[in-house]
Amino acid sequence: MTRLFVDEYPGQARLVRAAFLNSFIALGLGATFGLVQAFHRTDIYRFLPSPDYYTVLTGHGVFLVISFVIFFLVGLFHWAITDSLGQRPTRAWLSWGWYGLMSLGTLIIAASILGGFFEEPPEVLGAPLSADVLFTFYAPLQANPLFYLGLIVFFAGTWLAGADWFRTWLTWKGDNPGKRIPLPAFMVLTTMIMWYLGSIGVIVSLIAFIVPWSFEVIPGVNPLLTRTLFWFFGHMVVYFWVLPAYLLWYNVLPTLSGGRLFSDPLARVVFILFVLLSTPVGIHHQYMDPGIAEGFKFVAMTNTMFLLLPSLLTAFTVVASMEHGARQRGGEGTFGWIRALPWREPAFTGMALAGAVFAFGGFTGIVNAGMNINYLVHNTLWIPGHIHTQVGTATALSLMAGSYWLVPQLTGNRLVGRRIALIQVVTWFLGIVFMTNAMYRSGLFGVPRRTAEPQYSFEYDVGIGSMGELNAQIALGGTLLFVATVLFLGVMLLTVLNRDSEPLVDGTIPPALSGPEDSPRILDNLKLWAAIAIVLLVLAYALPLASIIQQGGLHGQDIRPYPVVLALVDAVQHAGTTLGVAIY
Ligand code: HEM
Ligand SMILES: [Cu+2]
C-alpha cells in the first residue's frame, strides 16, 4: 500500500509544489548563466560583451544559491514538518503569505538583475535598473535600491515561514505533551533557529546601511562594517543551503538503501552543533581584510575547525546507515556491501554521489579555513571549485535526487523516465568532476575568480597539463552540468504531466536503529540551545564589530568612486612638494 502525501495533505502538497516550481525555474535560469560563464571566461565561446559577464555572474549566484536552494528548502521543510508531525500548519493564509512574499521578493530581485542586460537600463527609484554586485552584495559595489528591497521582502518571507513551522510545532506540542520532537521536524526547527540568528547580520546591514546609502540618504558606508555584517550571515547561509541535503541524507537515504537511520541522537547533536557554531565563524571569509585584528581571525579559524565535527559525524552516521541497509539487502564483506546498494535507483544514486562529492568539498574547505593556506587560494578559481562541490553538488544533486522520490508523492503521478533520471545524476556527477577538478587546479596556479578576462596578456605556468586543457575541462564540465539540468527539468515536467498513473514510491520512513528515546531530553530544549548560540555570537562578534566601528565610523567616509587621474595628479604634486620642487 503506498501512502501518499498529496492524498493526506492536498493543500500542503499544493504549496510545496508551488515552491518547487519557483525553485526549478531559478535552477534553469541559473544553469544557463553558468554555461555562459564557463564558455566566456575560458574564451571558448563568447557572445556577450565582457562587462555583461558581471550581470550574468550576479544572476547565476543569486538565482542558484538564493532562489533555487531556498525555495526548495521551504518546500521540503513544509513537507517535513507536516509529514513528520502529522499536523497541518494552522493557518493556510500564513503559509501562502510567506510563499507570496518570497516570490514577490524574487521577482523584484530578478528584475533588478536582468535590467542590467539592457544597453540603456530604465531609470527606477532614481538609479539605472541594474545590480552587478554578485551574490555577496556588500559595499562598495552598489546596486539599484530595488535589488536590496527585493532581498528584504524575500528575507521577510523566510522569517514568516519559520514562524509558520514553529506555530505548527507548538500546536502539535500542545496535543502531544512530553513526546519527543520527530527528527525531521527537529531538523526544520533547529535550522530555522540558525537562520534567524545568522540572518540578523545581513538584515541589519541592509536596513541600517545599504538601503539608506543606495537612496543617498546617508553620505557613505563603512565598507568593512557591511562586509563583516554580510559574512556574519555569509557562513551561516552555507549551512542553510546544505542542511536540506542533510535532512534528505538522514531521513530518506537510509530508507532508500533498504535500511534505517543508524542513530537519531547523533543526528540531533549534529543539528545543534550547527545552531551553535555556524555563525561565530564568519570572519574566516575575511582573513585578507585589513582592519580586523589577527587575533579575531584566529578565533574564527579555531571555531571553524570545530565546525568540521558535525560534518564528520554526518559522514559516519550516513555511511553507517547505508551499510546497514546494504547488509539488509544481502550485502557482505568489508567493502562488498557497497555493491548491494540500489544503484539503479536514481534517488539513491544521486544522493550517494552527492555525498561523495561533499567529502571532497569538505577537504578543500579545510584548506580555505586555514588562515595561512587561505592566502594561496583566496579569490582564485579554487573558491568556485569549492562552491560547486558543496552547494553546487552536495546540495543541488541531493535536491534533484530527492525530487525523484518526493515529487511523485506530491503529485500522485509516477516518475517518468527512471533511466533518464539515472543518466541525469551520473551526468551531473561527471560534469562536476571535470569542472571542479579544473577549477581547483587553475586556482592553485593563480587563475582569478569572478572575472570575464582571466587570461590577461600572459601565459599561466601550470604545473601539469596546460591552460588549454584546464579551460577545455571547465567548458566540458559546464556543458555536462547544463545537459544534466535540462534532463532533470524535462523529467520533472513529464512527471507532473503524467496524470493517470500511480507512483511506485512509499513515503513511510522507518524508525532509527537507535531512536529518540536513546538521546537525552535536553537535546529537544530548543530555547536552551538558542540562548547558548546567542552567547557564542556575542563573544565572537562584539569586539570585532566594536573595533571596526571605532576605526571607520558607523557610516565611514564617502566611498564613491574617485577619478583616478585626479588622484594621480595629487600624488605627483605631493611627491614634488616633498622633494622640494614645485610641479604644476
Ligand atoms: C549548469 C551548471 C553550472 C555551471 C556551468 C556553473 C559554472 C560556474 C562558473 C564557471 C563559475 C565561476 C565564475 C567566475 O568566478 O568567473 C560559477 C560561479 C558560481 N556558481 Fe556555478 N555553475 C553551475 C551550477 C551551479 C549551482 C547548482 C550552484 C549552486 C546551487 C552554483 C553556484 C555558484 C556560485 C555561488 C558561484 C560564485 C558566484 C560569485 O562569485 O559571485 N553554480 N559557476
Ligand atoms: Cu565560511
Side-chain angles (χ1 to χ4, degrees):
M1 219 317 269
T2 49
R3 174 189 152 273
L4 291 185
F5 185 78
V6 61
D7 298 334
E8 265 175 74
Y9 308 100
Q12 282 65 38
R14 197 171 319 125
L15 178 56
V16 179
R17 288 200 303 265
F20 281 8
L21 176 66
N22 293 10
S23 166
F24 295 160
I25 293 173
L27 173 65
L29 261 175
T32 310
F33 284 7
L35 188 66
V36 173
Q37 286 161 204
F39 279 111
H40 192 107
R41 59 166 293 137
T42 52
D43 202 12
I44 287 177
Y45 176 64
R46 295 181 167 183
F47 62 92
L48 283 173
S50 282
D52 279 349
Y53 186 84
Y54 305 96
T55 305
V56 174
L57 186 56
T58 306
H60 182 71
V62 171
F63 293 147
L64 287 171
V65 295
I66 307 275
S67 317
F68 160 54
V69 178
I70 300 185
F71 267 115
F72 197 98
L73 176 148
V74 292
L76 185 73
F77 280 15
H78 202 65
W79 162 79
I81 274 281
T82 315
D83 188 64
S84 71
L85 296 178
Q87 174 91 38
R88 286 183 171 73
T90 36
R91 299 265 184 281
W93 60 263
L94 181 58
S95 305
W96 286 98
W98 56 253
Y99 168 79
L101 278 181
M102 288 177 64
S103 305
L104 176 69
T106 305
L107 284 178
I108 299 176
I109 295 169
S112 66
I113 296 173
L114 299 177
F117 283 120
F118 290 105
E119 205 138 299
E120 294 272 318
E123 243 350 79
V124 181
L125 296 177
L129 189 64
S130 125
D132 301 342
V133 290
L134 314 177
F135 83 95
T136 51
F137 43 83
Y138 39 67
L141 292 180
Q142 196 185 54
N144 185 287
L146 262 194
F147 177 75
Y148 306 120
L149 294 177
L151 281 170
I152 292 175
V153 175
F154 183 85
F155 281 120
T158 61
W159 277 54
L160 213 57
D164 187 16
W165 302 322
F166 272 98
R167 268 187 80 125
T168 311
W169 166 60
L170 287 175
T171 313
W172 173 87
K173 205 171 140 184
D175 299 343
N176 298 276
K179 254 199 172 174
R180 300 303 296 261
I181 311 173
L183 188 59
F186 181 85
M187 291 176 165
V188 170
L189 300 176
T190 42
T191 305
M192 290 317 286
I193 293 177
M194 179 190 86
W195 175 251
Y196 282 133
L197 296 179
S199 57
I200 289 174
V202 82
I203 292 173
V204 167
S205 168
L206 281 169
I207 294 180
F209 304 109
I210 297 204
V211 168
W213 171 61
S214 70
F215 278 113
E216 301 188 19
V217 177
I218 53 173
V221 292
N222 176 346
L224 185 58
L225 182 58
T226 62
R227 276 177 74 88
T228 309
L229 289 174
F230 179 87
W231 286 119
F232 178 108
F233 151 86
H235 189 81
M236 176 283 294
V237 74
V238 308
Y239 290 109
F240 198 56
W241 298 332
V242 173
L243 292 185
Y246 272 43
L247 192 146
L248 291 169
W249 296 348
Y250 275 106
N251 294 295
V252 180
L253 191 56
T255 318
L256 291 174
S257 317
R260 292 154 63 183
L261 174 63
F262 183 67
S263 165
D264 169 298
L266 219 46
R268 284 177 208 251
V269 168
V270 163
F271 274 70
I272 285 172
L273 284 172
F274 283 124
V275 174
L276 299 184
L277 291 174
S278 66
T279 313
V281 298
I283 288 179
H284 71 208
H285 289 261
Q286 296 179 284
Y287 289 148
M288 301 287 267
D289 281 21
I292 299 181
E294 293 286 292
F296 296 141
K297 294 178 181 171
F298 190 81
V299 171
M301 174 168 83
T302 318
N303 290 350
T304 306
M305 297 303 174
F306 278 116
L307 198 41
L308 288 172
L309 188 63
S311 297
L312 294 174
L313 285 177
T314 298
F316 169 75
T317 317
V318 173
V319 173
S321 311
M322 277 165 49
E323 179 178 345
H324 170 75
R327 295 201 190 279
Q328 298 304 301
R329 296 165 58 93
E332 280 173 2
T334 313
F335 293 108
W337 57 268
I338 295 175
R339 259 179 301 150
L341 288 166
W343 293 106
R344 287 176 183 285
E345 169 68 51
F348 169 82
T349 303
M351 283 190 218
L353 291 176
V357 173
F358 187 64
F360 278 96
F363 299 144
T364 58
I366 302 176
V367 171
N368 304 345
M371 223 164 128
N372 46 355
I373 325 182
N374 183 286
Y375 298 169
L376 178 68
V377 296
H378 202 89
N379 274 340
T380 68
L381 210 48
W382 168 283
I383 300 297
H386 171 74
I387 297 172
H388 289 96
T389 38
Q390 305 289 58
V391 57
T393 294
T395 300
L397 186 53
S398 298
L399 303 191
M400 291 188 276
S403 305
Y404 293 141
W405 181 81
L406 194 52
V407 169
Q409 303 178 54
L410 295 170
T411 53
N413 303 348
R414 182 172 305 179
L415 182 71
V416 174
R418 292 178 78 80
R419 288 192 74 128
I420 298 179
L422 193 58
I423 293 171
Q424 188 269 330
V425 294
V426 176
T427 308
W428 185 282
F429 176 76
L430 291 177
I432 216 70
V433 169
F434 280 118
M435 189 171 89
T436 58
N437 154 55
M439 282 179 161
Y440 284 129
R441 283 171 53 209
S442 305
L444 291 180
F445 300 117
V447 178
R449 71 186 282 212
R450 294 183 150 175
T451 171
E453 313 272 358
Q455 63 281 354
Y456 300 121
S457 57
F458 54 86
E459 274 295 306
Y460 287 93
D461 193 5
V462 300
I464 316 162
S466 68
M467 209 45 211
E469 170 251 339
L470 290 176
N471 281 339
Q473 277 199 57
I474 291 181
L476 171 66
T479 309
L480 290 176
L481 288 171
F482 179 76
V483 169
T485 312
V486 172
L487 289 180
F488 169 72
L489 295 175
V491 169
M492 280 298 118
L493 185 69
L494 292 179
T495 301
V496 171
L497 298 177
N498 188 21
R499 295 253 168 208
D500 48 347
S501 57
E502 271 281 311
L504 295 171
V505 280
D506 180 355
T508 320
I509 297 173
L513 284 172
S514 162
E517 62 288 349
D518 295 334
S519 70
R521 279 200 165 262
I522 196 163
L523 289 178
D524 284 15
N525 187 342
L526 300 180
K527 273 196 200 128
L528 173 74
W529 302 113
I532 300 178
I534 293 172
V535 172
L536 290 177
L537 260 182
V538 172
L539 285 178
Y541 268 103
L543 289 177
L545 284 174
S547 137
I548 289 166
I549 294 170
Q550 203 177 19
Q551 290 172 64
L554 257 190
H555 293 137
Q557 301 90 351
D558 189 350
I559 47 141
R560 239 163 280 279
Y562 191 64
V564 175
V565 183
L566 288 184
L568 200 64
V569 172
D570 271 359
V572 172
Q573 277 182 346
H574 183 76
T577 335
T578 321
L579 293 173
V581 278
I583 300 171
Y584 293 100

